[in-house]
Amino acid sequence: KAATKGYAVGGSALATFILFRAYLDEVSEFSGRNFEVVNIAKVEVLVGGLLGIAMIFLFVGWAIDAVGKTAQEVVREVRRQFEIYPGILEGTQKPEYNTCVAIVTRAALKEMTRPALLALGTPVVIGLVFKFIGSDRGGKNHA
């Protein structure tokens, strides 16, 4: 298990660097200037990085919470079916699979709304806030 986790972490780190390099290339192409260095000493860059990291933890927390709530609903449904259909345990009756699938589908659509809005909305909000901060500072490059 530890080896596969190590490969997963390594693969994620590699993907992060590749995506970041692709981002730098896109910024260079869009701006028409060579963009090779990101100065993490700039307040905007540091705050953006910290917000991005915090967003990951919040997203994961909300996703785990959603899975926990859904699992509780499924357990209640399975217990209900065991009471109604005692032959399920003996294999003489079939459970209502559709009910459990409906619970999971409904919960996925309902519970994952917050994480989805976080993932889609946070970059937009941060971009607009930093655009306002940049225009407030006169749009100058404060290196």
Side-chain angles (χ1 to χ4, degrees):
K1 283 187 171 183
T4 55
K5 289 178 185 176
Y7 289 130
V9 169
S12 298
L14 180 62
T16 300
F17 287 120
I18 291 171
L19 286 171
F20 191 68
R21 179 71 246 167
Y23 170 74
L24 293 177
D25 291 344
E26 287 295 319
V27 169
S28 295
E29 188 172 321
F30 181 73
S31 67
R33 293 184 299 165
N34 196 12
F35 192 72
E36 294 288 330
V37 178
V38 176
N39 185 357
I40 63 169
K42 283 187 175 183
V43 174
E44 296 90 346
V45 175
L46 184 63
V47 170
L50 291 174
L51 287 173
I53 292 167
M55 188 178 86
I56 292 168
F57 285 106
L58 185 59
F59 180 90
V60 169
W62 283 351
I64 289 172
D65 185 47
V67 169
K69 289 178 183 177
T70 305
Q72 288 174 352
E73 288 183 45
V74 170
V75 167
R76 279 193 290 272
E77 175 59 25
V78 169
R79 287 179 180 163
R80 183 191 72 80
Q81 288 187 26
F82 282 157
E83 288 176 11
I84 295 173
Y85 309 113
I88 292 174
L89 292 173
E90 294 141 13
T92 59
Q93 287 181 301
K94 290 205 173 217
E96 297 174 4
Y97 296 112
N98 292 341
T99 307
C100 289
V101 170
I103 289 171
V104 171
T105 304
R106 185 176 53 249
L109 292 172
K110 178 185 168 197
E111 296 292 335
M112 291 306 289
T113 303
R114 274 191 321 175
L117 289 175
L118 177 73
L120 297 173
T122 301
V124 173
V125 170
I126 290 173
L128 291 173
V129 167
F130 283 162
K131 181 178 181 181
F132 173 74
I133 290 171
S135 65
D136 188 47
R137 294 173 90 183
K140 297 176 188 171
N141 185 7
H142 296 278

